[in-house]
Amino acid sequence: MVETDGPDVCACERCPALVESRSRIVNGVGPDDAALLFVGEAPGAQEDEEGEPFVGRSGSVLDDALRDAGLARADVRITNCVRCRPPENRDPHADELDNCAEFLEAEIAHVDPDLIVTLGKVPGERLLDRSVAVTKEAGSVVDARLGGESRRVLICVHPAATLYDRSQRDGFEDAIAKAADLGGASADGGGQSRLGDY
Ligand code: URA
């Protein structure tokens, strides 16, 4: 059974292991018309508890980088490839990513962002449909065909990677600053999208 309300999924039992491990479905948050859409992998423990993506330690890293780039968390849309917490925070399996793909596609179509930022390898490879060397490619803006539309995608490392490996921090912050720049943010809150430059 699947029930949706706009881009939100209210009830879904497609993935038996995730139905078992989740407390709730974690939908995307942020404005329906956000210029920037951040896509992570799947909710962790804290996200599962609070029902919101990126509210744990990774979320603090993301929030700090957004703030440093002149953006508030509330200015952007944040979602995940998979909406239910995998057991023991394992990576989502391919069939689980497939099962949830239509919800992410519907959300992308609904929000129609100027730029999608993939946080980590799983969303990068999923949306670009190829293997991605995230650390090497971080900060690159590429085109992807999604739901019949051409979309601009900025590849970024996962914020959690910066917690395990401090050397990833600068690349992560630079990519978020670039996203803010391309999405039209500036420290004074004004500015225009510079996507035409890329
Ligand atoms: N990691 C993710 O990929 N998504 C979240 O929502 C939290 C941590």
Side-chain angles (χ1 to χ4, degrees):
M1 178 194 55
V2 174
E3 279 173 39
T4 56
D5 176 12
D8 286 352
V9 181
C10 312
C12 177
E13 305 201 333
R14 286 181 182 173
C15 307
L18 303 193
V19 169
E20 190 69 28
S21 60
R22 76 179 179 207
S23 313
R24 70 199 85 245
I25 295 168
V26 179
N27 288 301
V29 292
D32 273 6
D33 59 352
L36 294 176
L37 172 66
F38 290 81
V39 183
E41 185 179 309
Q46 191 82 22
E47 290 75 22
D48 179 67
E49 203 178 307
E50 295 187 33
E52 183 166 336
F54 285 99
V55 288
R57 288 179 71 208
S58 299
S60 300
V61 174
L62 178 60
D63 289 352
D64 288 350
L66 287 171
R67 197 189 46 245
D68 289 349
L71 287 171
R73 180 181 170 90
D75 295 333
V76 304
R77 179 107 185 162
I78 306 175
T79 194
N80 280 305
C81 289
V82 164
R83 291 172 194 245
C84 300
R85 182 192 182 199
E88 279 132 40
N89 291 341
R90 65 156 166 76
D91 283 355
H93 293 162
D95 60 329
E96 295 163 348
L97 287 159
D98 287 344
N99 287 341
C100 228
E102 79 170 88
F103 308 133
L104 179 59
E105 255 181 40
E107 186 168 15
I108 292 170
H110 182 85
V111 175
D112 192 21
D114 291 341
L115 182 69
I116 298 170
V117 184
T118 53
L119 298 171
K121 194 172 181 69
V122 168
E125 297 197 334
R126 192 75 207 176
L127 293 192
L128 299 180
D129 196 24
R130 64 167 170 84
S131 65
V132 173
V134 194
T135 307
K136 198 164 140 224
E137 295 187 57
S140 310
V141 179
V142 294
D143 287 319
R145 198 87 199 146
L146 296 171
E149 297 276 333
S150 179
R151 300 279 178 192
R152 281 278 155 108
V153 175
L154 189 150
I155 299 169
C156 185
V157 300
H158 195 282
T162 71
L163 295 168
Y164 307 124
D165 176 2
R166 292 284 306 182
S167 71
Q168 301 263 16
R169 186 62 72 104
D170 286 351
F172 175 75
E173 290 174 352
D174 288 351
I176 299 298
K178 185 168 184 177
D181 188 27
L182 297 179
S186 68
D188 63 5
Q192 273 193 312
S193 172
R194 290 185 42 233
L195 267 173
D197 296 352
Y198 288 81

CSV table of all heavy atoms in Angstrom, one decimal, residues 51-92:
chain,number,residue,atom,x,y,z
A,51,GLY,N,11.7,12.4,12.4
A,51,GLY,CA,10.9,12.5,11.2
A,51,GLY,C,11.4,13.6,10.3
A,51,GLY,O,10.6,14.1,9.5
A,52,GLU,N,12.7,13.9,10.3
A,52,GLU,CA,13.2,15.0,9.5
A,52,GLU,C,14.6,14.6,9.0
A,52,GLU,O,15.4,14.2,9.8
A,52,GLU,CB,13.2,16.3,10.2
A,52,GLU,CG,13.7,17.5,9.4
A,52,GLU,CD,13.4,18.8,10.0
A,52,GLU,OE1,12.5,19.0,10.9
A,52,GLU,OE2,14.1,19.8,9.7
A,53,PRO,N,14.9,14.8,7.7
A,53,PRO,CA,16.2,14.5,7.2
A,53,PRO,C,17.3,15.4,7.8
A,53,PRO,O,17.1,16.5,8.1
A,53,PRO,CB,16.2,14.7,5.7
A,53,PRO,CG,14.8,15.0,5.3
A,53,PRO,CD,14.1,15.4,6.6
A,54,PHE,N,18.5,14.8,7.9
A,54,PHE,CA,19.7,15.5,8.4
A,54,PHE,C,19.5,16.4,9.6
A,54,PHE,O,19.6,17.6,9.6
A,54,PHE,CB,20.2,16.3,7.2
A,54,PHE,CG,20.9,15.5,6.2
A,54,PHE,CD1,20.3,15.1,5.0
A,54,PHE,CD2,22.2,15.1,6.3
A,54,PHE,CE1,20.9,14.3,4.0
A,54,PHE,CE2,22.9,14.3,5.4
A,54,PHE,CZ,22.2,13.9,4.2
A,55,VAL,N,19.1,15.7,10.7
A,55,VAL,CA,19.0,16.4,12.0
A,55,VAL,C,20.0,15.9,13.0
A,55,VAL,O,20.1,16.4,14.1
A,55,VAL,CB,17.6,16.4,12.6
A,55,VAL,CG1,16.6,17.2,11.8
A,55,VAL,CG2,17.1,14.9,12.7
A,56,GLY,N,20.8,14.9,12.6
A,56,GLY,CA,21.8,14.3,13.5
A,56,GLY,C,23.1,15.0,13.3
A,56,GLY,O,23.2,16.2,12.9
A,57,ARG,N,24.2,14.3,13.6
A,57,ARG,CA,25.5,15.0,13.5
A,57,ARG,C,25.8,15.4,12.0
A,57,ARG,O,26.4,16.5,11.8
A,57,ARG,CB,26.6,14.0,13.9
A,57,ARG,CG,26.6,13.8,15.4
A,57,ARG,CD,27.6,12.7,15.8
A,57,ARG,NE,29.0,13.3,15.7
A,57,ARG,CZ,30.1,12.5,15.5
A,57,ARG,NH1,30.0,11.3,15.4
A,57,ARG,NH2,31.2,13.1,15.5
A,58,SER,N,25.4,14.6,11.0
A,58,SER,CA,25.6,15.0,9.6
A,58,SER,C,24.9,16.3,9.4
A,58,SER,O,25.3,17.2,8.6
A,58,SER,CB,25.1,14.0,8.7
A,58,SER,OG,25.8,12.8,8.8
A,59,GLY,N,23.7,16.4,10.0
A,59,GLY,CA,22.8,17.6,9.8
A,59,GLY,C,23.5,18.8,10.3
A,59,GLY,O,23.4,19.9,9.7
A,60,SER,N,24.2,18.7,11.5
A,60,SER,CA,24.9,19.9,12.0
A,60,SER,C,26.0,20.3,11.1
A,60,SER,O,26.2,21.5,10.9
A,60,SER,CB,25.5,19.5,13.4
A,60,SER,OG,24.6,19.1,14.3
A,61,VAL,N,26.7,19.4,10.5
A,61,VAL,CA,27.8,19.7,9.6
A,61,VAL,C,27.2,20.5,8.4
A,61,VAL,O,27.7,21.5,7.9
A,61,VAL,CB,28.5,18.5,9.1
A,61,VAL,CG1,29.5,18.8,8.0
A,61,VAL,CG2,29.2,17.8,10.3
A,62,LEU,N,26.0,19.9,7.9
A,62,LEU,CA,25.4,20.6,6.7
A,62,LEU,C,24.9,22.0,7.1
A,62,LEU,O,25.1,22.9,6.3
A,62,LEU,CB,24.2,19.7,6.2
A,62,LEU,CG,23.4,20.2,5.1
A,62,LEU,CD1,24.2,20.4,3.8
A,62,LEU,CD2,22.2,19.2,4.7
A,63,ASP,N,24.2,22.1,8.2
A,63,ASP,CA,23.7,23.4,8.7
A,63,ASP,C,24.8,24.4,8.8
A,63,ASP,O,24.6,25.6,8.4
A,63,ASP,CB,22.9,23.2,10.0
A,63,ASP,CG,21.6,22.5,9.9
A,63,ASP,OD1,21.2,22.2,8.8
A,63,ASP,OD2,21.1,22.2,11.0
A,64,ASP,N,25.9,24.0,9.4
A,64,ASP,CA,27.0,25.0,9.6
A,64,ASP,C,27.5,25.4,8.2
A,64,ASP,O,27.8,26.6,8.0
A,64,ASP,CB,28.2,24.3,10.3
A,64,ASP,CG,27.8,24.1,11.8
A,64,ASP,OD1,26.8,24.6,12.3
A,64,ASP,OD2,28.6,23.3,12.5
A,65,ALA,N,27.7,24.5,7.3
A,65,ALA,CA,28.2,24.9,5.9
A,65,ALA,C,27.2,25.8,5.2
A,65,ALA,O,27.6,26.7,4.5
A,65,ALA,CB,28.5,23.6,5.1
A,66,LEU,N,25.9,25.5,5.4
A,66,LEU,CA,24.9,26.3,4.7
A,66,LEU,C,25.0,27.7,5.3
A,66,LEU,O,25.0,28.7,4.6
A,66,LEU,CB,23.5,25.7,5.0
A,66,LEU,CG,23.1,24.5,4.2
A,66,LEU,CD1,21.8,23.9,4.7
A,66,LEU,CD2,23.0,24.8,2.7
A,67,ARG,N,25.1,27.8,6.6
A,67,ARG,CA,25.1,29.1,7.3
A,67,ARG,C,26.4,29.9,6.8
A,67,ARG,O,26.3,31.1,6.5
A,67,ARG,CB,25.1,29.0,8.8
A,67,ARG,CG,24.8,30.2,9.6
A,67,ARG,CD,25.0,30.1,11.0
A,67,ARG,NE,26.2,29.5,11.4
A,67,ARG,CZ,26.4,28.3,12.0
A,67,ARG,NH1,25.3,27.6,12.4
A,67,ARG,NH2,27.6,27.8,12.2
A,68,ASP,N,27.5,29.2,6.8
A,68,ASP,CA,28.8,29.9,6.3
A,68,ASP,C,28.6,30.4,4.9
A,68,ASP,O,29.3,31.3,4.5
A,68,ASP,CB,30.0,28.9,6.4
A,68,ASP,CG,30.3,28.6,7.9
A,68,ASP,OD1,29.8,29.3,8.8
A,68,ASP,OD2,31.1,27.7,8.1
A,69,ALA,N,27.8,29.7,4.1
A,69,ALA,CA,27.6,30.1,2.7
A,69,ALA,C,26.5,31.1,2.5
A,69,ALA,O,26.1,31.4,1.4
A,69,ALA,CB,27.3,28.8,1.9
A,70,GLY,N,25.9,31.6,3.7
A,70,GLY,CA,24.9,32.6,3.6
A,70,GLY,C,23.5,32.1,3.4
A,70,GLY,O,22.6,32.8,3.1
A,71,LEU,N,23.3,30.8,3.7
A,71,LEU,CA,21.9,30.2,3.6
A,71,LEU,C,21.5,29.7,5.0
A,71,LEU,O,22.3,29.2,5.8
A,71,LEU,CB,22.0,29.0,2.7
A,71,LEU,CG,22.1,29.3,1.2
A,71,LEU,CD1,22.4,28.0,0.5
A,71,LEU,CD2,20.9,30.0,0.6
A,72,ALA,N,20.2,29.8,5.2
A,72,ALA,CA,19.6,29.1,6.4
A,72,ALA,C,19.1,27.7,5.9
A,72,ALA,O,18.7,27.6,4.7
A,72,ALA,CB,18.4,29.9,6.9
A,73,ARG,N,19.0,26.8,6.8
A,73,ARG,CA,18.4,25.5,6.5
A,73,ARG,C,17.0,25.6,5.9
A,73,ARG,O,16.7,24.9,5.0
A,73,ARG,CB,18.4,24.7,7.8
A,73,ARG,CG,17.8,23.3,7.6
A,73,ARG,CD,17.8,22.6,9.0
A,73,ARG,NE,17.1,21.3,9.0
A,73,ARG,CZ,17.6,20.2,8.7
A,73,ARG,NH1,18.9,20.0,8.4
A,73,ARG,NH2,16.9,19.1,8.6
A,74,ALA,N,16.3,26.6,6.4
A,74,ALA,CA,14.9,26.8,5.9
A,74,ALA,C,14.8,27.3,4.5
A,74,ALA,O,13.7,27.3,3.9
A,74,ALA,CB,14.1,27.7,6.9
A,75,ASP,N,15.9,27.8,3.9
A,75,ASP,CA,15.9,28.3,2.6
A,75,ASP,C,16.0,27.2,1.5
A,75,ASP,O,15.7,27.4,0.3
A,75,ASP,CB,17.2,29.2,2.3
A,75,ASP,CG,17.2,30.4,3.2
A,75,ASP,OD1,16.1,30.9,3.5
A,75,ASP,OD2,18.3,30.9,3.4
A,76,VAL,N,16.4,26.0,1.9
A,76,VAL,CA,16.7,24.9,1.0
A,76,VAL,C,15.8,23.7,1.2
A,76,VAL,O,15.2,23.6,2.3
A,76,VAL,CB,18.2,24.5,1.0
A,76,VAL,CG1,19.1,25.7,0.8
A,76,VAL,CG2,18.5,23.8,2.3
A,77,ARG,N,15.7,22.9,0.2
A,77,ARG,CA,14.9,21.6,0.4
A,77,ARG,C,15.9,20.5,0.7
A,77,ARG,O,16.9,20.4,0.0
A,77,ARG,CB,14.1,21.4,-0.8
A,77,ARG,CG,13.3,20.1,-0.8
A,77,ARG,CD,11.8,20.4,-0.6
A,77,ARG,NE,11.0,19.2,-0.5
A,77,ARG,CZ,9.8,19.1,0.0
A,77,ARG,NH1,9.2,20.3,0.4
A,77,ARG,NH2,9.2,18.0,0.1
A,78,ILE,N,15.6,19.6,1.6
A,78,ILE,CA,16.5,18.5,2.0
A,78,ILE,C,15.7,17.2,2.0
A,78,ILE,O,14.6,17.1,2.6
A,78,ILE,CB,17.1,18.8,3.4
A,78,ILE,CG1,17.8,20.1,3.4
A,78,ILE,CG2,18.1,17.7,3.7
A,78,ILE,CD1,18.3,20.5,4.8
A,79,THR,N,16.2,16.2,1.3
A,79,THR,CA,15.5,15.0,1.2
A,79,THR,C,16.5,13.8,1.1
A,79,THR,O,17.7,14.0,1.1
A,79,THR,CB,14.5,15.0,0.0
A,79,THR,OG1,13.6,13.9,0.1
A,79,THR,CG2,15.2,14.9,-1.4
A,80,ASN,N,16.0,12.6,0.9
A,80,ASN,CA,16.9,11.4,0.8
A,80,ASN,C,16.4,10.5,-0.4
A,80,ASN,O,15.3,10.6,-0.8
A,80,ASN,CB,16.8,10.6,2.1
A,80,ASN,CG,17.7,11.2,3.2
A,80,ASN,OD1,18.9,11.4,3.0
A,80,ASN,ND2,17.1,11.5,4.3
A,81,CYS,N,17.3,9.7,-0.8
A,81,CYS,CA,17.0,8.7,-1.9
A,81,CYS,C,16.0,7.7,-1.3
A,81,CYS,O,15.1,7.2,-2.0
A,81,CYS,CB,18.2,7.9,-2.3
A,81,CYS,SG,19.4,8.9,-3.3
A,82,VAL,N,16.1,7.3,0.0
A,82,VAL,CA,15.3,6.3,0.6
A,82,VAL,C,14.7,7.0,1.8
A,82,VAL,O,15.4,7.7,2.6
A,82,VAL,CB,16.1,5.1,1.0
A,82,VAL,CG1,15.4,4.2,2.0
A,82,VAL,CG2,16.4,4.3,-0.3
A,83,ARG,N,13.4,6.8,2.1
A,83,ARG,CA,12.7,7.5,3.1
A,83,ARG,C,12.6,6.8,4.5
A,83,ARG,O,12.0,7.3,5.4
A,83,ARG,CB,11.3,8.0,2.7
A,83,ARG,CG,11.4,9.0,1.6
A,83,ARG,CD,10.1,9.4,0.9
A,83,ARG,NE,10.5,10.1,-0.3
A,83,ARG,CZ,10.2,11.4,-0.5
A,83,ARG,NH1,9.4,12.0,0.3
A,83,ARG,NH2,10.6,12.0,-1.6
A,84,CYS,N,13.1,5.6,4.5
A,84,CYS,CA,13.0,4.8,5.8
A,84,CYS,C,14.4,4.4,6.2
A,84,CYS,O,15.2,4.1,5.4
A,84,CYS,CB,12.1,3.6,5.5
A,84,CYS,SG,10.4,4.0,5.0
A,85,ARG,N,14.6,4.4,7.5
A,85,ARG,CA,15.9,4.1,8.1
A,85,ARG,C,16.3,2.6,7.9
A,85,ARG,O,15.5,1.7,8.3
A,85,ARG,CB,15.9,4.3,9.6
A,85,ARG,CG,17.2,4.1,10.2
A,85,ARG,CD,17.2,4.1,11.7
A,85,ARG,NE,18.6,3.8,12.2
A,85,ARG,CZ,18.9,3.4,13.4
A,85,ARG,NH1,17.9,3.2,14.2
A,85,ARG,NH2,20.1,3.2,13.7
A,86,PRO,N,17.4,2.3,7.2
A,86,PRO,CA,17.8,0.9,7.0
A,86,PRO,C,18.3,0.4,8.4
A,86,PRO,O,18.8,1.1,9.2
A,86,PRO,CB,19.0,1.0,6.0
A,86,PRO,CG,18.8,2.4,5.3
A,86,PRO,CD,18.2,3.3,6.4
A,87,PRO,N,18.2,-0.9,8.6
A,87,PRO,CA,18.6,-1.5,9.8
A,87,PRO,C,20.1,-1.3,10.0
A,87,PRO,O,20.9,-1.4,9.1
A,87,PRO,CB,18.3,-3.0,9.7
A,87,PRO,CG,17.9,-3.2,8.3
A,87,PRO,CD,17.6,-1.9,7.6
A,88,GLU,N,20.5,-0.9,11.3
A,88,GLU,CA,21.9,-0.7,11.7
A,88,GLU,C,22.6,0.3,10.7
A,88,GLU,O,23.8,0.2,10.5
A,88,GLU,CB,22.7,-2.0,11.8
A,88,GLU,CG,22.5,-2.7,13.1
A,88,GLU,CD,22.2,-4.2,12.9
A,88,GLU,OE1,22.8,-4.8,12.0
A,88,GLU,OE2,21.3,-4.7,13.5
A,89,ASN,N,21.8,1.2,10.2
A,89,ASN,CA,22.3,2.2,9.3
A,89,ASN,C,23.1,1.7,8.1
A,89,ASN,O,24.1,2.3,7.6
A,89,ASN,CB,23.2,3.2,10.0
A,89,ASN,CG,22.4,4.1,10.9
A,89,ASN,OD1,21.2,4.2,10.8
A,89,ASN,ND2,23.1,4.7,11.9
A,90,ARG,N,22.8,0.5,7.6
A,90,ARG,CA,23.5,-0.1,6.4
A,90,ARG,C,23.0,0.7,5.2
A,90,ARG,O,22.1,1.5,5.3
A,90,ARG,CB,23.1,-1.6,6.2
A,90,ARG,CG,21.6,-1.8,5.9
A,90,ARG,CD,21.4,-3.1,5.2
A,90,ARG,NE,20.1,-3.6,5.1
A,90,ARG,CZ,19.1,-3.1,4.3
A,90,ARG,NH1,19.4,-2.0,3.5
A,90,ARG,NH2,17.9,-3.6,4.3
A,91,ASP,N,23.8,0.6,4.1
A,91,ASP,CA,23.5,1.3,2.9
A,91,ASP,C,22.1,0.7,2.4
A,91,ASP,O,21.9,-0.5,2.6
A,91,ASP,CB,24.5,1.1,1.8
A,91,ASP,CG,25.8,1.9,2.0
A,91,ASP,OD1,25.8,2.7,2.9
A,91,ASP,OD2,26.7,1.7,1.3
A,92,PRO,N,21.3,1.5,1.8
A,92,PRO,CA,20.1,1.0,1.2
A,92,PRO,C,20.4,0.0,0.1
A,92,PRO,O,21.4,0.2,-0.6
A,92,PRO,CB,19.4,2.2,0.6
A,92,PRO,CG,20.1,3.4,1.0
A,92,PRO,CD,21.4,3.0,1.6
